[in-house]
Amino acid sequence: KTMFLVNRIIGTVILLLSIPPLTSQALEPRESRTVKDSRGEALTRVKRGWVWNQFFVLEEYTGLEPLYIGKLHSDMDRGDGSIKYILSGEGAGIMFTIDDVTGDIHAIQRLDREVKAQYVLRAQALHRQTGRPLEPESEFIVKIQDINDNEPKFLDGPYHATIPEMSEIGTSVIQLTATDADDPTYGNSARVVYSILQGQPYFSVEPQTGIIRVSLADMDREVKENYSVVIQAKDMGGQLGGLAGTTTVNITLSDVNDNPPKFAQRLYQMSVPESAPVGSAVGRIRAKDRDTGINAEMNYSIIDGDGRDSFDISTDPTNQFGIITIKKRLDFESKRSYTLKIEGSNTHLDKRFAKHGPFSDTTIVHVSVEDVDEPPVFDAPAYFVEVAEDAEVGTVLKTAYARDPDVANNSIRYSIERTSDPGKYFYIDITSGALMTVRPLDREEVPWHNVTVLAMEMNNPSQIGSVSVTVKVLDVNDNPPQLAQYYEAFVCENAKAGQLIQTVTAVDPDDPLGGQHFYYSLAPEAANNPNFTLRDNQDNSAWVLTRRGGFSQRDQSIYRLPIFISDGEQPVQTSTGTLTVRVCSCDGSGGVLSCDAEAYTLPTALSRGALIAILACIFVLLAMILLMLSLRNQRKKPYLCDEEENVHENIVRYDDEGGGEEDTEAFDIAAMWNPRGTHLGRFRQDMLPEIESLSRHVPQAAVAGAGIGGGTGGVHGYVLAKLLEADHDPGAPPYDSLQTYAYEGEGSVAESLSSLQSATSNADHDYDYLSDWGPRFRKLAEMYGVLETSNPLW
């Protein structure tokens, strides 16, 4: 605070010494100037009586009273208070005020040059009573004088920089720039000088430029990688009383390849079972490198040792391990240990640090092979056998041999994997390994056999070895040639002698080495036939030609020509095929018209048009018959009158709880619809159980009464008996089952059976025919027979 106060005092003294007297700068005497216009008349212009240019004021005033800036005065002011001074412009009334009587200007707010360096104001003198301007408005500037009140600042800090390790002294790291908000044109307030506060003796900074440089040689990243440097920027040229700002620079040393790799051990011990497959990993080693990134990348190689042919080594690019793998199959019985000399070297070298080398290292790896109980091994990786398809059953094809590779050398037993021989063509001797046939072979059926032979140790059945035996069945000429297809040709009645009617070929499933050669001829019984002849083309095909002309369907419509075929292999195989030749009628160009001999039985005068006319007449006759039958069905009169309703009732008794109205098995509704179509003495067999059930539940007294009294007495007794039975039956439903079929539909031949409208009917109905329906409708006949008595029931 004391230094700041001294700085403010010094700045104030300098400012006061630099400001000229106010009267000489602010006031100017009144002048008059007389000029003449174009007509020669004198014009007088009066110059304003007060003129000023600018005022100066120090920033950051902290006093309690307003800061006096200056005084405005007009020579027209006689001190009687008749003139009023007013102030306008930037900050008028807010930052600056004026005494309207004396013209004194004060600053009423704290001024900061770094916020605003100057203010443009306007002043004017007015008559206090009238408000009339006495002088033109004049403009002046208030400049804010700078003081050292802002320290230098590093706007982008903290900073980060990277340089390679082992850099030379003087190597540039980074350049810093501090910014001072003070006026650089006034004094030393903005003149900055740099210095280092932390980071020596590794780094230094240039005072004027702010460049940080290396000041210590051979800095090693592996010893120390990160450095924190503190830089100070001070204004006033670094003199006493100057303000200062600091920042931090974090410097990182980047890696260079200045360290060679080193193995942690001079000797490594590893082991691997002899059954490990080729390519499997045995172990891994690593040469450590203090460098990082590409400078630590390694390449491993086997440079010596007796295992160079059996093992290989590769580099894991992620972790830089050397992975040792099996290159060739191992055998404990042949060799039990190996020695490898392995070298690890850097892949990226820096010549500047070659003196630190060599950048490689070596180590010894000893690999022990462990014994494993191995399966038997055959003397060959696979067997190939050729056998003729006519070989006798029991022929030995091959003797397989396998041995136990272990020291124990156990006995071997042989077998065939049955999935490889689904047809069971082969057998192998369990002790000798002789592979033989047990079924006849047929090349045309299975030309190749792939059999897997298994060898098993007797003392350890889990150890099983296998080998593939490929059997090729050689061809033997054991199949006769056959015609390639069923041939059927035609010959025109007007054919001429020597005309080609068919080309025939043959096929043979055999496959001779020299290819197929077929020979054709007519069978001996047809060799001298007068109709056809055969020509062998000597290219496995033959032509069938006509030997004469003038064929006739009436005489013979079909010819069957036997063709004799033989092959050229030993033993010779022959066969006879048949060519069917039909005699057809053809047009002049040879096109077939008809090959049917029945066409000739029609009269010659009956043409195709006549046949079409006959068929049309038959069709019209059938249509007329169908129309007559349809009209006859429509003229059939119904048995019911249109004004009568087809209504009937039916009381049905069910032995058990059933489907209600949907139970169509309770009675034969078809018989009610068509009573006249029912045959006497023919009853429905499916309804007999229900009738027996009804008779079984009706009391005998009610039945006897119905038989004696007839008519209404029987029905009445039947109903009373059923009511009594329902009353004494605790499991019966508390209601009677009454099903009403209101309408039977139009056109019913049975007419209405209901008595609901019998009182309004004008005609008596005769229901005697109900008795003809049999026992099934006997009760119904009795119910409707009551209508003839004098005392009706309903």
Side-chain angles (χ1 to χ4, degrees):
K1 291 182 178 179
T2 303
M3 293 179 62
F4 182 73
L5 181 59
V6 171
N7 184 47
R8 289 181 58 86
I9 294 174
I10 294 174
T12 303
V13 172
I14 295 174
L15 177 63
L16 293 176
L17 293 175
S18 63
I19 298 176
L22 182 61
T23 56
S24 64
Q25 192 174 29
L27 300 179
E28 294 181 2
R30 180 189 296 271
E31 294 181 358
S32 299
R33 179 176 296 178
T34 302
V35 296
K36 293 183 179 181
D37 59 5
S38 58
R39 295 177 293 179
E41 297 180 358
L43 299 177
T44 303
R45 179 174 68 84
V46 180
K47 190 176 182 180
R48 61 178 177 265
W50 45 277
V51 177
W52 54 90
N53 293 328
Q54 57 187 4
F55 292 104
F56 295 89
V57 60
L58 286 175
E59 64 174 335
E60 302 294 344
Y61 174 72
T62 58
L64 300 178
E65 297 295 331
L67 177 61
Y68 178 76
I69 296 177
K71 182 180 180 63
L72 301 180
H73 182 74
S74 175
D75 55 1
M76 298 181 64
D77 186 359
R78 293 180 175 79
D80 55 0
S82 61
I83 295 179
K84 180 181 179 180
Y85 296 97
I86 63 173
L87 189 66
S88 62
E90 297 177 342
I94 300 175
M95 305 294 294
F96 306 98
T97 61
I98 188 171
D99 191 326
D100 61 350
V101 177
T102 63
D104 293 334
I105 302 175
H106 292 81
I108 60 176
Q109 295 286 345
R110 182 178 178 181
L111 303 176
D112 190 353
R113 189 201 66 84
E114 286 73 34
V115 176
K116 191 172 180 62
Q118 65 181 16
Y119 296 86
V120 178
L121 299 172
R122 295 182 298 277
Q124 193 172 24
L126 305 177
H127 192 277
R128 187 175 294 279
Q129 299 297 329
T130 62
R132 180 177 59 84
L134 300 179
E135 297 289 345
E137 188 178 58
S138 182
E139 183 178 272
F140 66 97
I141 298 174
V142 176
K143 288 190 175 182
I144 310 304
Q145 193 70 32
D146 181 52
I147 63 173
N148 189 21
D149 60 339
N150 292 278
E151 72 277 5
K153 294 182 179 180
F154 294 92
L155 302 181
D156 299 328
Y159 298 87
H160 299 273
T162 302
I163 59 169
E165 62 175 332
M166 300 294 175
S167 296
E168 298 179 355
I169 296 176
T171 301
S172 176
V173 179
I174 190 175
Q175 182 176 9
L176 306 180
T177 301
T179 302
D180 195 323
D182 293 326
D183 189 359
T185 63
Y186 178 74
N188 295 325
S189 298
R191 190 163 69 88
V192 179
V193 175
Y194 302 92
S195 61
I196 184 169
L197 301 182
Q198 177 183 319
Q200 296 174 331
Y202 307 104
F203 301 96
S204 62
V205 62
E206 293 183 358
Q208 305 300 326
T209 62
I211 298 176
I212 299 177
R213 298 185 181 274
V214 176
S215 60
L216 183 64
D218 298 333
M219 287 190 293
D220 193 354
R221 184 198 66 85
E222 288 72 33
V223 176
K224 185 176 182 180
E225 183 176 3
N226 298 309
Y227 296 85
S228 180
V229 179
V230 178
I231 301 297
Q232 174 184 269
K234 188 174 183 181
D235 59 10
M236 298 297 293
Q239 299 177 3
L240 182 64
L243 303 179
T246 61
T247 189
T248 301
V249 181
N250 296 314
I251 302 175
T252 303
L253 299 183
S254 60
D255 185 61
V256 297
N257 192 8
D258 59 339
N259 294 281
K262 294 292 181 182
F263 284 103
Q265 300 175 212
R266 294 290 94 186
L267 177 64
Y268 292 87
Q269 295 284 349
M270 298 181 183
S271 61
V272 59
E274 63 174 336
S275 60
V278 174
S280 60
V282 177
R284 62 182 186 177
I285 60 175
R286 182 183 180 183
K288 295 184 178 180
D289 194 327
R290 299 174 62 191
D291 297 323
T292 60
I294 63 173
N295 298 315
E297 291 183 359
M298 304 293 298
N299 180 49
Y300 297 93
S301 60
I302 301 175
I303 60 176
D304 199 1
D306 58 359
R308 298 179 63 180
D309 297 334
S310 300
F311 298 91
D312 199 0
I313 188 170
S314 59
T315 304
D316 179 7
T318 303
N319 300 313
Q320 301 301 316
F321 284 105
I323 302 175
I324 301 174
T325 57
I326 299 175
K327 185 178 180 180
K328 188 171 64 176
R329 187 178 180 276
L330 304 178
D331 187 8
F332 174 81
E333 290 72 24
S334 300
K335 188 173 180 59
R336 302 187 179 186
S337 64
Y338 297 86
T339 300
L340 306 174
K341 184 177 182 180
I342 298 177
E343 179 187 64
S345 58
N346 288 136
T347 56
H348 298 83
L349 301 179
D350 194 334
K351 295 180 179 180
R352 296 177 300 171
F353 308 103
K355 61 182 179 179
H356 296 175
F359 289 87
S360 63
D361 195 15
T362 59
T363 188
I364 302 298
V365 178
H366 184 268
V367 182
S368 299
V369 180
E370 298 177 350
D371 186 26
V372 176
D373 190 5
E374 300 174 276
V377 178
F378 286 89
D379 59 351
Y383 296 115
F384 177 76
V385 179
E386 292 182 342
V387 59
E389 62 177 327
D390 60 349
E392 296 182 357
V393 173
T395 301
V396 177
L397 306 180
K398 182 71 178 180
T399 300
Y401 174 74
R403 65 176 183 85
D404 184 5
D406 299 320
V407 177
N409 194 17
N410 294 319
S411 299
I412 305 299
R413 292 295 179 263
Y414 300 92
S415 63
I416 294 177
E417 186 180 8
R418 284 307 171 190
T419 57
S420 65
D421 183 26
K424 298 182 179 180
Y425 288 94
F426 304 98
Y427 167 79
I428 190 169
D429 187 85
I430 191 172
T431 57
S432 65
L435 182 66
M436 61 190 71
T437 61
V438 294
R439 284 183 56 189
L441 302 178
D442 189 355
R443 189 202 66 84
E444 288 73 33
E445 182 179 352
V446 183
W448 292 86
H449 296 269
N450 292 311
V451 182
T452 301
V453 175
L454 305 178
M456 179 182 65
E457 294 183 12
M458 287 193 62
N459 296 338
N460 189 1
S462 63
Q463 297 297 328
I464 300 176
S466 63
V467 68
S468 177
V469 181
T470 302
V471 179
K472 180 181 180 181
V473 182
L474 301 178
D475 183 54
V476 174
N477 191 26
D478 57 347
N479 292 280
Q482 302 286 342
L483 288 178
Q485 62 185 29
Y486 172 74
Y487 287 102
E488 186 176 55
F490 72 92
V491 59
C492 294
E493 291 181 316
N494 55 359
K496 297 180 182 180
Q499 182 175 334
L500 174 66
I501 61 172
Q502 183 65 52
T503 300
V504 296
T505 59
V507 293
D508 191 338
D510 293 326
D511 186 18
L513 296 177
Q516 299 284 3
H517 297 284
F518 301 126
Y519 302 94
Y520 302 89
S521 63
L522 292 178
E525 64 271 17
N528 298 321
N529 78 91
N531 302 312
F532 304 99
T533 184
L534 184 141
R535 179 187 299 174
D536 192 340
N537 297 324
Q538 302 299 321
D539 59 355
N540 292 339
S541 67
W543 287 352
V544 178
L545 308 172
T546 59
R547 180 170 287 179
R548 66 177 178 85
F551 291 92
S552 175
Q553 285 185 343
R554 292 181 180 181
D555 297 339
Q556 186 174 351
S557 60
I558 297 177
Y559 294 89
R560 288 178 174 83
L561 188 65
I563 300 177
F564 183 80
I565 311 170
S566 64
D567 55 21
E569 300 296 322
Q570 295 296 328
V572 177
Q573 300 290 336
T574 63
S575 68
T576 302
T578 301
L579 172 64
T580 302
V581 182
R582 293 183 178 274
V583 179
C584 301
S585 61
C586 304
D587 55 16
S589 59
V592 177
L593 296 178
S594 174
C595 293
D596 188 2
E598 298 297 330
Y600 288 90
T601 62
L602 296 176
T604 56
L606 191 59
S607 63
R608 184 177 300 177
L611 291 176
I612 295 175
I614 292 173
L615 293 176
C617 293
I618 294 173
F619 177 77
V620 172
L621 182 59
L622 291 175
M624 292 177 64
I625 293 173
L626 292 176
L627 180 61
M628 293 173 62
L629 291 176
S630 176
L631 294 176
R632 181 180 178 182
N633 291 334
Q634 292 180 1
R635 289 197 302 268
K636 188 175 182 181
K637 294 182 179 180
Y639 289 91
L640 298 176
C641 298
D642 294 340
E643 64 272 6
E644 292 182 354
E645 294 182 359
N646 187 12
V647 182
H648 82 281
E649 300 173 333
N650 187 13
I651 299 177
V652 182
R653 200 277 180 190
Y654 291 89
D655 285 346
D656 51 6
E657 186 175 354
E661 294 180 359
E662 295 180 358
D663 189 359
T664 59
E665 298 296 330
F667 53 88
D668 187 6
I669 194 67
M672 298 177 65
W673 286 344
N674 191 12
R676 296 176 177 83
T678 304
H679 298 284
L680 296 177
R682 185 177 180 182
F683 308 112
R684 292 184 54 188
Q685 298 298 326
D686 58 338
M687 303 310 297
L688 293 178
E690 180 185 5
I691 298 174
E692 294 176 1
S693 177
L694 286 172
S695 63
R696 192 166 53 246
H697 288 278
V698 177
Q700 297 299 323
V703 174
I708 297 172
T712 60
V715 176
H716 183 66
Y718 175 80
V719 174
L720 292 178
K722 296 306 293 181
L723 291 176
L724 180 63
E725 179 184 356
D727 292 338
H728 290 83
D729 186 6
Y735 54 85
D736 295 330
S737 177
L738 178 63
Q739 297 184 2
T740 302
Y741 297 87
Y743 300 99
E744 296 178 354
E746 294 292 336
S748 174
V749 296
E751 301 180 349
S752 176
L753 300 180
S754 175
S755 61
L756 295 179
Q757 299 178 352
S758 60
T760 59
S761 177
N762 297 326
D764 293 332
H765 296 281
D766 185 12
Y767 296 101
D768 293 338
Y769 62 87
L770 294 176
S771 59
D772 298 334
W773 288 6
R776 174 66 182 84
F777 294 94
R778 183 181 62 184
K779 187 63 65 178
L780 185 64
E782 294 176 355
M783 292 170 58
Y784 282 90
V786 178
L787 294 175
E788 300 176 356
T789 64
S790 59
N791 233 348
L793 242 177
W794 312 105

